[in-house]
Amino acid sequence: MLTFLLKRTLYALISLLAITLIVFSLSHLSGNPLDALLPDDATPAQIEQVTRHLGLDRPITVQYLTFLQNAAMGDFGDSLKWKGQTAAEVVWERLPATLQLGGLALLISIVVALPLGVMAAVYKNTALDAVATVIALLGQSLPAFWLGLVLMWVFAVTLGWFPTSGYGGLSHMILPAIAMAWFQVAALTRLTRSAMLEVLDAEYIKLARVKGVQERSVVWKHAFRNAAIVPVTYFGVLAGSLLTGSVVIETVFNWPGTGWLAITAIQGRDFPVVQTVVLFFAVLFLLANLIVDVLYALIDPRIRNT
Amino acid sequence: MRRLPLVPIALLLVVLIIPAFFAEWIAPHDPYISNLRARLQPPVGFGGTWQYPLGTDRLGRCMLSRILHGAKYALGISMVGIAIGAVLGTALGLISGYLRGWIDVVIMRLVDITFALPSILLALALASISGPSLGLVVLVVVFVIWGFFARQVRAETLSLRERDFVARARVAGASGPRIVIRYILPNLMNTIIVLATLQIGVVIILEATLSFLGIGIPRPAPAWGILVADGRQLIVSNWWISLFPGIAILLTVLSVNLIGDWLRDWLDPKLRQA
């Protein structure tokens, strides 16, 4: 188990290193940061001073290593758009908003998808199963940004139940969270349903039924516990999609989180902030996957040896 | 074999394929020409006239014509992006699964890395360097989908290479590349076709999302994502501008997914688990 854990951690670190390399190369392709920092009429002396201050006169490998060292310390330089703040501070400030919305979306996905998937499997080929199938199909086919707009039009503009957009309490969060969760609900329902169908077919479930175990107990205690492995492995992907989803949905609803920040920063050519967001998302995603791997190995010991 | 999915095929023809090739002839108006006297006309049934069946946008351009012309971007990007992504992913998956060893580890790590980097952020970073362009959208599409092909092809190659017919070919003196291309690849074609079909919907949504965010297909092209973005600020008063292009996306992706499911059940039922 320890070897497995070490190996997975090493893999995650290698992936992270590769991502830092991509981000670093991108920021170098993105044009001269001096243009953004200095006024048009800067003197050669000023230019030289800033160049030296930023270390732009040193070899590229040295620059990369410095970048890595600073990144490890959480130092990504100063934001160009939000003057007087470091990039890390700007991202950190926006984090709670993203976590609130992402957390609610995650909650909705689990609370809706797991029971729906289980029920669709138990009542296979009934109206309930048909509803689950339609939801799963629509989830894959609806673009999140458009769903967000339609929800806004129906429930905020026409019915007036919720505010149209902006930052605020629970009433501000419901529409964007539903738009974000929709795709996940679809994917998770489908996964849970097929995992449950497989387990419900197993011999030990038949045995439990023959023994006279109550149906509710057969479904939730015997079958669901074993089927749950499949949705658990999906949470790594889920975390990643919610992060990506936050960029789109936060933009649609003007929700001032990290996704919204990334778009605003790119429009303002604020590369330190963009770098921080990209690296931050990548770390979160790799961490989520690492946790899933470990959980999976704990639940199913066969995995450890592969 | 199950019955052909006729409704999805018909829908796909009407919404995507016929407009993509024949929009020039069937669209009632030029999608770029504005008519300032007919700005923000509502669609038929909501106070509009048959002159503009789906209404007009802020510049008085015919929404129906713009949506019809938008189809070629959805079709073109998904075909080109999937073709490149499938070829690249299949090649790397074959190499990975057949050779194994360190090259397998490297390629599979690369897949993990591309899955770990949020595609939309990559697109944002790229777009802010070079500005939005068609090539950039294709690049992002390839980046997002090649890993799915590489992973699936590798997994099946790993099991195919242990089969008797491969062992016999090896004993008969066939070279590595020959075994891979003549004996393994043909056995993977069904998987690749099904995977490619199932990816079309993903790619169309990705392209539309990038265009919506202003980092996909450059304006003034009437790509569906751009049309939805045009209506975003007007959703309170002029809902039809965002609504109809979104329905076009929905119907296209829905029918492609239904056709993909059917193809999978017919050609490659084992992919059902994936």
Side-chain angles (χ1 to χ4, degrees), chain B residues 73-113:
Chain B
Y73 298 95
L75 186 67
I77 292 285
S78 54
M79 289 301 114
V80 174
I82 288 173
I84 299 175
V87 170
L88 185 72
T90 304
L92 290 174
L94 284 170
I95 292 172
S96 200
Y98 189 77
L99 295 181
R100 300 194 294 192
W102 65 270
I103 195 153
D104 180 27
V105 174
V106 169
I107 292 175
M108 285 304 111
R109 282 292 89 197
L110 274 178
V111 172
D112 288 350
I113 291 164

Side-chain angles (χ1 to χ4, degrees), chain A residues 39-76:
Chain A
D40 288 341
D41 55 351
T43 63
Q46 271 178 316
I47 293 177
E48 206 195 309
Q49 193 223 331
V50 175
T51 308
R52 192 164 305 151
H53 174 68
L54 292 175
L56 293 176
D57 52 345
R58 281 180 289 175
I60 192 104
T61 46
V62 176
Q63 285 189 43
Y64 175 63
L65 289 176
T66 320
F67 167 79
L68 264 190
Q69 192 189 359
N70 290 340
M73 316 269 277
D75 176 8
F76 297 92

Side-chain angles (χ1 to χ4, degrees), chain A residues 2-62:
Chain A
L2 191 66
T3 343
F4 173 83
L5 199 64
L6 284 175
K7 209 166 137 191
R8 288 287 145 175
T9 316
L10 186 69
Y11 280 172
L13 282 177
I14 294 171
S15 300
L16 189 59
L17 209 60
I19 292 167
T20 57
L21 199 60
I22 296 176
V23 169
F24 177 78
S25 333
L26 278 181
S27 67
H28 267 262
L29 287 171
S30 63
N32 197 340
L34 295 180
D35 297 342
L37 279 174
L38 288 169
D40 288 341
D41 55 351
T43 63
Q46 271 178 316
I47 293 177
E48 206 195 309
Q49 193 223 331
V50 175
T51 308
R52 192 164 305 151
H53 174 68
L54 292 175
L56 293 176
D57 52 345
R58 281 180 289 175
I60 192 104
T61 46
V62 176

Side-chain angles (χ1 to χ4, degrees), chain B residues 23-241:
Chain B
E24 298 278 329
W25 293 279
I26 53 179
H29 298 271
D30 185 308
Y32 298 105
I33 287 183
S34 50
N35 176 359
L36 291 180
R37 273 181 303 176
R39 282 186 308 184
L40 298 174
Q41 292 269 318
V44 168
F46 297 89
T49 61
W50 280 104
Q51 198 196 348
Y52 297 106
L54 297 183
T56 59
D57 68 4
R58 199 164 27 181
L59 297 174
R61 293 176 294 197
C62 170
M63 283 311 293
L64 176 64
S65 306
R66 286 174 73 71
I67 293 170
L68 290 173
H69 277 270
K72 53 178 163 277
Y73 298 95
L75 186 67
I77 292 285
S78 54
M79 289 301 114
V80 174
I82 288 173
I84 299 175
V87 170
L88 185 72
T90 304
L92 290 174
L94 284 170
I95 292 172
S96 200
Y98 189 77
L99 295 181
R100 300 194 294 192
W102 65 270
I103 195 153
D104 180 27
V105 174
V106 169
I107 292 175
M108 285 304 111
R109 282 292 89 197
L110 274 178
V111 172
D112 288 350
I113 291 164
T114 57
F115 285 166
L117 197 65
S119 55
I120 288 187
L121 285 190
L122 174 82
L124 276 165
L126 287 172
S128 61
I129 295 163
S130 62
S133 68
L134 285 177
L136 198 134
V137 181
V138 172
L139 189 72
V140 174
V141 165
V142 171
F143 182 87
V144 169
I145 66 164
W146 76 274
F148 291 101
F149 289 92
R151 229 177 222 182
Q152 192 66 36
V153 166
R154 168 185 176 269
E156 295 195 16
T157 306
L158 277 179
S159 85
L160 280 173
R161 75 190 292 281
E162 306 299 338
R163 297 271 288 275
D164 282 346
F165 67 90
V166 173
R168 283 194 205 114
R170 207 176 290 134
V171 171
S175 65
R178 188 180 161 84
I179 291 174
V180 166
I181 293 169
R182 285 292 300 274
Y183 297 93
I184 294 182
L185 186 59
N187 283 298
L188 292 171
M189 281 324 277
N190 281 357
T191 302
I192 295 167
I193 290 169
V194 172
L195 218 50
T197 316
L198 290 173
Q199 295 292 332
I200 295 176
V202 176
V203 170
I204 289 180
I205 289 191
L206 177 64
E207 177 269 303
T209 304
L210 296 180
S211 300
F212 173 80
L213 291 171
I215 52 176
I217 293 170
R219 284 166 188 278
W224 291 340
I226 292 177
L227 300 184
V228 176
D230 278 346
R232 186 185 152 224
Q233 302 297 336
L234 299 167
I235 194 81
V236 174
S237 48
N238 311 96
W239 48 271
W240 59 88
I241 303 173

